[in-house]
Amino acid sequence: MLSYILRRIGLALVITVLAVTTLFVIIHAIPGDPVSTMLGPRASEDMRAALEQRMGLDRPLPVQIALFFGNMLRGDLGTDVFSNRAVTEIVLGQIPYTLVLILASIAWSAVLGIALGCYSAVRRNSLGDRLTGILSVSVIAVPAFVVSLYSLLIFAVRLQWFPAIGAGDTGDILDQLHHLVLPSLAIGLSWVGYIARLVRASMLEVLGEGHIRTARAFGLPERRVILGYALRLAILPTVTVIGVGMGFLLSAAVFIEIVFSRPGLGSLVIDSIMQRNYPVVMGSVLFSTLIFVASTTLADIVNAILDPRIRSGK
Amino acid sequence: MTVLDIQGLSVSYGTPRGELRALRDVSLSVPERKIVGIVGESGCGKSTLISAIIRLMAPNARVRSGTVRFNGQDLLALPEARMRGLRGTEISMVFQDPMQTHNPVLTVGRQMIDIQYRDKRSKADKLKRAAEMLALVGIPDARARLNQYPFEFSGGMRQRIAIAMALMARPSLLIADEPTTALDATLEVQIIKRLRELQDEIGCSILFISHHLGVIAELCDEVVVMYAGEVVEAGSVRDVFHHPAHPYTRALLECDPGHIKEKTRNLPTIPGNIPDLVSLPGGCIFADRCPQRHDACTEHPVMSEASAGHRAACHLIKAGAPA
Ligand SMILES: Nc1ncnc2c1ncn2[C@@H]1O[C@H](COP(=O)(O)OP(=O)(O)O)[C@@H](O)[C@H]1O
Ligand code: SF4
Ligand SMILES: [Mg+2]
């Protein structure tokens, strides 16, 4: 088990290095440069050169990348072109908002989706199963921004049940939760349908396997057969999908944070791209990448804990 | 005493083509402490029969008629909760494919503890009991192996574990659906021997389904020959194998060159096909492939006695012309 985890973390590190390098190259290929942005069009050549040197932009690209990694290991992602604050500090200030939003979205949608998927598989072809199926497919088809706009109109503007913008007062947990409801509804809704379909399919497959017949032939209570024996296996593909789905969740969060004017990585990325604030763009994209790599790694590790065949490599 | 007594059992499957009549008017019984074998080609309804006995049938299956009496009570009429109470305690199963029998993500020990869920004993006691059972079926170092997962065992070992699990509660009836078909011949012999010893010790009855005539001859006291969803012959192993009364049984035995003893692992093939169970022909179901078909065979033959305790469904018996 330990060796599996170590191997998987090693792989994650390699992926991170490759991803960061690629990002670095891409960002530097984007037209527009931070020096002109900062100094304005009338800056003298000397001033430009001085700033380029300070930011390391005068060095060859490979050196810049190496320096970037070196600094990264020390937690230094450079400074904001405009405010001169450390990028790490800026990004870390925003990340909790996004993480909470993503985790809340996936948590409620996974719980509901798994329950619905189980129900559908066990009551296959019943009215409930059909209804769940139709609803699932419908919510999968609706994009998060549509849900967010309509939920804003209905629940925030019309009914005024939930606040429309912001993330709530710092320190007031209830207020923050209250602010979390609509955004996580918008992000999670299509996931409920998706997870329900996925769990239903894998449950049906597992329920047809021989070991389930064995469990029943030994008179195990049906609850135990479904939850302890079938779901244990049927959940594996869902864990992987959620891990990989982190990428989609992050991009959905970008939209949602803007619609609901929530602080977070999304707003930060968009703002800094608009301003060509390279260090901040790089920093926030880097952290998004880290979140993504970490979540896929975590999904694999959870799967290995749930499935002994994976950790033994068979 | 008869442990299991099946009378007139008919089971159908709903299919897009219509009703598939998988079992028709099947009667057989398993006496106390006896091993009864069921033999027949693939598709003749053996698995359907046992799934009807323990009432774990496919969703599209339906019992049309008949009774399945287990120690006197009709299983088909029991409430589901009572039926579940019998499974794994009074009636146990061993299935064909040992690679599919166990849950792949739970340890063998965990699964063996789980099936003792009705017992109020401590977990340690249950583990001890599990280890004893594993040792009994010939798994070395049983205690340590309880912590392992099914994939860490070979097919033969897994089938031993399946047998250990099935016998752990000392059931009065063990049903084994081709338990050795997936194993090689040497393993098959070992497992059959161990099964016989355990049966003797526990004093249970066994309903043993097999393709392998040699194994049936070796292990069973009585044998039931099935063809296309019907019982065509039944009697003691000695009577049926030495004086087969039904042309189908004869064909099986003739095809088996070593006559039972040799290692014909699969049932010999007989020219021709099983009739379509959705649109059954009238008359004798074996007529299409029967070398001794005659005028009377357009009428469906009923089971009649060829000798005491030896019955077959063929018009030749009444004509007084067994081979
Ligand atoms: N769920 C099912 N739906 C429709 N037909 C089935 C189903 N299960 C089995 N059958 C059919 O019933 C017949 C008997 O099958 P089975 O009991 O599995 O035979 P055996 O175990 O002797 O090979 C076969 O013709 C098979 O195709
Ligand atoms: S009844 Fe006729 S067709 Fe059927 S097995 Fe006997 S001889 Fe053959
Ligand atoms: Mg079968």
Side-chain angles (χ1 to χ4, degrees), chain B:
Chain B
M1 253 288 281
T2 306
V3 171
L4 183 72
D5 184 33
I6 299 174
Q7 290 299 328
L9 182 65
S10 297
V11 175
S12 296
Y13 290 107
T15 74
R17 292 199 302 129
E19 188 182 355
L20 187 150
R21 306 194 55 198
L23 292 180
R24 297 174 314 281
D25 198 21
V26 167
S27 301
L28 63 90
S29 60
V30 181
E32 203 174 17
R33 288 178 155 268
K34 290 279 192 256
I35 306 184
V36 174
I38 297 184
V39 67
E41 282 164 297
S42 178
C44 73
K46 306 181 296 289
S47 297
T48 304
L49 176 67
I50 59 173
S51 68
I53 297 172
I54 56 165
R55 281 198 9 209
L56 289 175
M57 294 193 289
N60 60 336
R62 191 168 66 90
V63 176
R64 285 169 50 107
S65 58
T67 54
V68 176
R69 290 195 178 281
F70 173 72
N71 287 332
Q73 56 187 340
D74 186 1
L75 296 183
L76 298 179
L78 278 188
E80 174 59 25
R82 295 263 316 277
M83 186 65 219
R84 192 162 62 73
L86 293 178
R87 293 187 197 121
T89 55
E90 290 289 308
I91 306 176
S92 281
M93 295 278 316
V94 174
F95 294 101
Q96 173 169 355
D97 183 1
M99 307 312 261
Q100 277 257 339
T101 297
H102 303 102
N103 191 301
V105 299
L106 302 175
T107 62
V108 168
R110 166 78 198 281
Q111 297 182 54
M112 291 186 80
I113 288 176
D114 277 358
I115 61 171
Q116 302 177 63
Y117 74 98
R118 299 171 177 100
D119 285 351
K120 293 284 166 269
R121 285 177 299 170
S122 72
K123 193 182 158 202
D125 281 352
K126 290 179 181 175
L127 265 181
K128 190 159 156 267
R129 175 107 191 81
E132 284 166 10
M133 267 330 284
L134 286 191
L136 263 186
V137 293
I139 293 185
D141 201 13
R143 192 62 205 237
R145 302 215 71 180
L146 282 174
N147 293 324
Q148 294 186 314
Y149 291 90
F151 74 90
E152 297 172 271
F153 293 84
S154 67
M157 283 294 174
R158 288 197 217 183
Q159 201 58 303
R160 283 167 200 260
I161 295 171
I163 292 172
M165 286 170 72
L167 293 179
M168 191 153 60
R170 302 189 152 252
S172 46
L173 177 65
L174 175 73
I175 301 176
D177 188 2
E178 308 194 30
T180 53
T181 306
L183 306 176
D184 70 49
T186 338
L187 272 176
E188 179 169 52
V189 173
Q190 288 173 13
I191 286 183
I192 295 299
K193 257 184 74 182
R194 188 43 65 94
L195 197 58
R196 174 111 238 184
E197 289 162 11
L198 287 170
Q199 183 255 347
D200 203 44
E201 190 212 307
I202 291 173
C204 62
S205 308
I206 300 181
L207 187 59
F208 188 90
I209 289 158
S210 182
H211 265 153
H212 189 177
L213 293 170
V215 168
I216 299 265
E218 176 79 25
L219 181 72
C220 300
D221 304 298
E222 294 176 17
V223 60
V224 173
V225 183
M226 286 184 63
Y227 181 78
E230 293 178 15
V231 172
V232 293
E233 182 159 4
S236 69
V237 165
R238 167 175 290 274
D239 283 346
V240 173
F241 280 19
H242 291 278
H243 312 285
H246 196 282
Y248 176 61
T249 316
R250 276 202 289 276
L252 288 182
L253 294 169
E254 268 159 25
C255 287
D256 196 350
H259 209 73
I260 307 159
K261 289 209 180 58
E262 288 311 309
K263 295 173 187 62
T264 334
R265 303 249 316 145
N266 289 317
L267 212 54
T269 39
I270 301 167
N273 290 313
I274 321 183
D276 180 7
L277 299 181
V278 174
S279 52
L280 284 165
C284 175
I285 39 155
F286 189 56
D288 250 13
R289 298 162 88 179
C290 180
Q292 282 153 289
R293 180 180 56 201
H294 53 283
D295 290 347
C297 304
T298 51
E299 193 128 325
H300 193 277
V302 293
M303 287 291 268
S304 42
E305 287 219 321
S307 61
H310 178 195
R311 298 169 307 134
C314 172
H315 291 303
L316 292 173
I317 295 177
K318 270 194 205 130

Side-chain angles (χ1 to χ4, degrees), chain A residues 148-185:
Chain A
S148 60
L149 291 176
Y150 275 95
S151 64
L152 257 180
L153 280 178
I154 299 172
F155 297 109
V157 178
R158 260 264 161 106
L159 301 170
Q160 308 218 329
W161 287 353
F162 297 100
I165 56 168
D169 294 337
T170 357
D172 185 346
I173 299 279
L174 278 181
D175 190 40
Q176 288 178 345
L177 284 178
H178 203 201
H179 279 81
L180 204 53
V181 173
L182 291 185
S184 59
L185 173 80

Side-chain angles (χ1 to χ4, degrees), chain A residues 82-156:
Chain A
F82 300 103
S83 70
N84 259 332
R85 285 169 62 210
V87 169
T88 318
E89 188 191 318
I90 296 178
V91 176
L92 283 181
Q94 300 298 308
I95 274 187
Y97 293 106
T98 304
L99 271 186
V100 164
L101 176 59
I102 289 178
L103 291 179
S105 310
I106 202 66
W108 84 267
S109 55
V111 169
L112 189 59
I114 291 170
L116 285 175
C118 267
Y119 168 83
S120 284
V122 172
R123 292 279 142 77
R124 185 185 188 174
N125 293 338
S126 67
L127 186 65
D129 174 29
R130 280 162 217 251
L131 266 171
T132 313
I134 293 170
L135 284 176
S136 301
V137 175
S138 329
V139 297
I140 292 171
V142 183
F145 69 88
V146 174
V147 183
S148 60
L149 291 176
Y150 275 95
S151 64
L152 257 180
L153 280 178
I154 299 172
F155 297 109

